[in-house]
């Protein structure tokens, strides 16, 4: 049997819950330990994986069996936990957003470099196979240079159960840190990475959820290409309608369930009860449910169109549609055997084959720079120049 990456998990909350089908099924990784403050989550992890479960990330990083740490703790802990892991000699896979400030992200990159370990920033939807295939088509040159990218996503994000800090921008809450990190990463990958400036506006329309719930941004790239990014989490129009009613995680959605998130939230009495409702859905919680047996389609982040000189490319959950000057085609994609496999593929190549990851610390820092610049642009009503961008490294084969 080929050697597997011995992975420890920092945080058994929502991010881990969504990543669990990947971590359970991927042949390149072995779950050997976890850390979480919730006793019920630790007990379930120990039973499910016959592995150790700790009450602190410090204990996890001291476990000699752990080779790499998946940092899936709340946003404000990403930087300190990733730095702790790197300084302990562990490779790091950190959830988005990478950090809450440029200074934190720079410290993470430095800690990985000084510790001689790999830092991978993900999951973001730029790992998705349809996005990677779209970029490979762009790199083939058949349609000429990228000129414009359109990205649009409308969800009910703001009305899903949240902890108080998830509704506080200063603590990493709101749709810029939680959702723009996906969309910016997607358009940067499709556009080659070297964004130069951004102009954005944000919306915070519900005083009961007093953080950014929507944004629109225009991102300009070196060479003249530009991308428009629009997101709303206010739970009205659902852009999964434009993706064949396949949801973000690749599972089929029932459009008859319109408004379900708002209705469920209306029955929750106060912030403490809302936080408890979120915890109950997570791994080890009373309402935790394993994913269905039906294999999902590829994940996505709404409608994405790459406009090139001689045609458009549109990734979907099940295909990539190419529409050129004289003809069009649909490249069908098989359902993934392991959802989000690309994330662990990249981690395994970085750790086991010592290859530089595509989504490394510098790439993640550049995406974070755009997100923070969007907040600044909206606050100051002006364009913001970007100075920490990096080019897409290597050829993508998908």
């Amino acid at each position: 049997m080929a050697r597997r990456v011995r992975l420890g998990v920092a945080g058994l909350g929502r991010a881990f819950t969504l990543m669990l089908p990947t971590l359970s099924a991927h042949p390149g990784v072995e779950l050997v330990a976890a850390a979480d403050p919730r006793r019920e989550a630790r007990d379930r992890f120990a039973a499910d994986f016959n592995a150790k479960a700790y009450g602190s990330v410090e204990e996890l990083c001291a476990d000699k069996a752990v080779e790499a740490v998946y940092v899936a703790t709340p946003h404000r802990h990403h930087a300190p936990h990733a730095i702790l892991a790197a300084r302990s000699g562990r490779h790091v896979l950190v959830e988005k957003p990478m950090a809450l400030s440029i200074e934190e992200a720079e410290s993470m990159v430095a800690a990985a470099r000084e510790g001689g370990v790999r830092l991978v920033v993900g999951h973001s939807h730029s790992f998705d196979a349809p996005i990677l295939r779209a970029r490979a088509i762009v790199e083939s040159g058949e349609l000429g240079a990228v000129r414009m990218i359109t990205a649009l996503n409308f969800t009910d994000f703001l009305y899903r159960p949240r902890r108080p800090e998830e509704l506080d921008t200063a603590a990493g809450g709101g749709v810029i840190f939680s959702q723009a990190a996906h969309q910016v990463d997607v358009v940067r990958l499709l556009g080659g990475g070297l964004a130069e400036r951004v102009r954005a506006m944000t919306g915070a329309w519900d005083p009961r959820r007093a953080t950014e719930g929507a944004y629109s941004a225009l991102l300009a790239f070196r060479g003249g290409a530009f991308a428009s990014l629009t997101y709303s989490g206010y739970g009205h129009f659902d852009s999964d309608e434009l993706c064949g009613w396949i949801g973000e995680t690749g599972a089929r959605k029932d459009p008859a369930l319109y408004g379900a998130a708002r209705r469920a939230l209306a029955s929750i009495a106060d912030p403490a009860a809302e936080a408890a409702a979120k915890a109950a859905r997570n791994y080890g919680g009373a309402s935790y449910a394993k994913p269905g047996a039906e294999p999902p389609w590829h994940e996505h982040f709404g409608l994405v169109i790459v406009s090139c000189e001689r045609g458009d490319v549109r990734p979907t959950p099940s295909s990539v549609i190419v529409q050129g000057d004289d003809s069009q085609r649909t490249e069908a994609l098989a359902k993934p055997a392991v959802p989000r496999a690309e994330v662990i593929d990249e981690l395994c190549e970085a750790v086991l084959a010592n290859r530089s990851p595509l989504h490394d610390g510098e790439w993640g820092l550049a995406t974070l720079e755009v997100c923070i610049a969007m907040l600044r642009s909206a606050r100051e009503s002006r364009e913001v120049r970007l100075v920490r961008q990096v080019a897409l490294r290597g050829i993508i084969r998908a």
Side-chain angles (χ1 to χ4, degrees):
M1 179 183 293
R3 190 170 86 75
R4 297 185 290 173
V5 175
R6 301 185 305 277
L7 188 67
V9 179
L12 298 174
R14 187 62 179 164
F16 171 73
T17 301
L18 294 173
M19 198 70 179
L20 183 55
T22 309
L23 299 175
S24 299
H26 198 286
V29 70
E30 176 187 6
L31 291 176
V32 298
D36 194 276
R38 295 176 300 130
R39 180 61 179 267
E40 63 272 21
R42 297 198 303 272
D43 288 348
R44 177 151 191 166
F45 184 90
D48 284 352
F49 299 100
N50 190 29
K52 294 181 179 179
Y54 301 104
S56 73
V57 179
E58 288 78 8
E59 292 174 288
L60 174 70
C61 291
D63 187 334
K64 294 181 179 179
V66 173
E67 184 176 15
V69 174
Y70 169 39
V71 177
T73 48
H75 295 172
R76 66 186 184 280
H77 298 308
H78 286 184
H81 287 163
I83 291 169
L84 172 64
R87 288 177 176 170
S88 301
R90 276 51 175 182
H91 302 282
V92 180
L93 170 65
V94 60
E95 270 288 341
K96 59 80 195 166
M98 179 182 182
L100 301 186
S101 72
I102 297 298
E103 293 74 20
E104 283 184 334
E106 289 176 334
S107 295
M108 293 164 70
V109 171
R113 184 185 306 115
E114 292 162 6
V117 298
R118 295 295 190 182
L119 172 60
V120 179
V121 182
H123 158 257
S124 79
H125 281 292
S126 69
F127 284 89
D128 296 347
I131 298 296
L132 296 176
R133 178 58 191 151
R135 178 62 203 183
I137 291 169
V138 167
E139 289 186 341
S140 76
E142 67 169 286
L143 299 176
V146 174
R147 294 305 186 196
M148 179 175 73
I149 304 169
T150 303
L152 177 147
N153 203 11
F154 280 62
T155 77
D156 60 6
F157 174 85
L158 208 60
Y159 295 96
R160 302 167 196 165
R162 299 290 169 204
R163 297 185 305 274
E165 75 270 14
E166 294 181 283
L167 301 173
D168 178 0
T169 305
V175 299
I176 299 292
F177 284 117
S178 292
Q179 301 295 279
H182 284 299
Q183 207 170 43
V184 169
D185 224 45
V186 166
V187 302
R188 286 191 60 246
L189 186 141
L190 293 170
L194 292 174
E196 291 188 325
R197 57 193 187 279
V198 64
R199 180 68 171 92
M201 301 183 76
T202 61
W205 309 321
D206 186 343
R208 299 167 299 175
R209 321 289 278 180
T211 185
E212 296 84 12
Y215 61 79
S216 282
L218 192 63
L219 189 61
F221 287 90
R222 184 180 301 177
F226 58 91
S228 60
L229 296 74
T230 295
Y231 183 91
S232 171
Y234 281 105
H236 297 126
F237 174 63
D238 186 344
S239 58
D240 288 338
E241 178 180 343
L242 306 177
C243 297
W245 288 114
I246 301 297
E248 181 180 347
T249 61
R252 290 206 169 272
K253 292 181 70 172
D254 182 356
L257 296 178
Y258 176 83
R262 282 176 176 270
R263 288 192 297 273
L265 188 62
S267 67
I268 297 175
D270 54 43
E274 183 176 348
K278 175 167 185 173
R281 293 193 312 160
N282 291 339
Y283 182 75
S287 302
Y288 170 69
K290 290 184 177 180
E294 180 186 359
W297 284 105
H298 296 279
E299 297 196 349
H300 71 89
F301 203 69
L303 178 69
V304 176
I305 304 171
V306 188
S307 298
C308 302
E309 292 170 317
R310 297 188 297 276
D312 293 342
V313 182
R314 178 160 69 94
T316 81
S318 60
S319 66
V320 177
I321 301 168
V322 183
Q323 296 170 303
D325 288 342
D326 304 313
S327 63
Q328 61 179 345
R329 70 179 188 274
T330 298
E331 296 189 6
L333 300 172
K335 284 187 175 182
V338 178
R340 294 188 181 182
E342 297 84 2
V343 181
I344 303 304
D345 290 345
E346 192 166 315
L347 176 67
C348 290
E349 288 190 1
V351 173
L352 301 178
N354 197 29
R355 296 176 183 167
S356 297
L358 172 64
H359 298 84
D360 62 10
E362 287 82 0
W363 179 270
L365 192 157
T367 290
L368 178 65
E369 181 192 25
V370 177
C371 294
I372 292 174
M374 288 168 62
L375 286 170
R376 183 180 177 187
S377 174
R379 183 174 63 248
E380 299 177 3
S381 298
R382 67 178 183 87
E383 182 178 270
V384 175
R385 296 198 67 84
L386 304 166
V387 298
R388 293 176 173 84
Q389 298 299 292
V390 295
L392 186 64
R393 296 181 177 93
I395 300 296
I396 292 176
R397 296 175 177 86

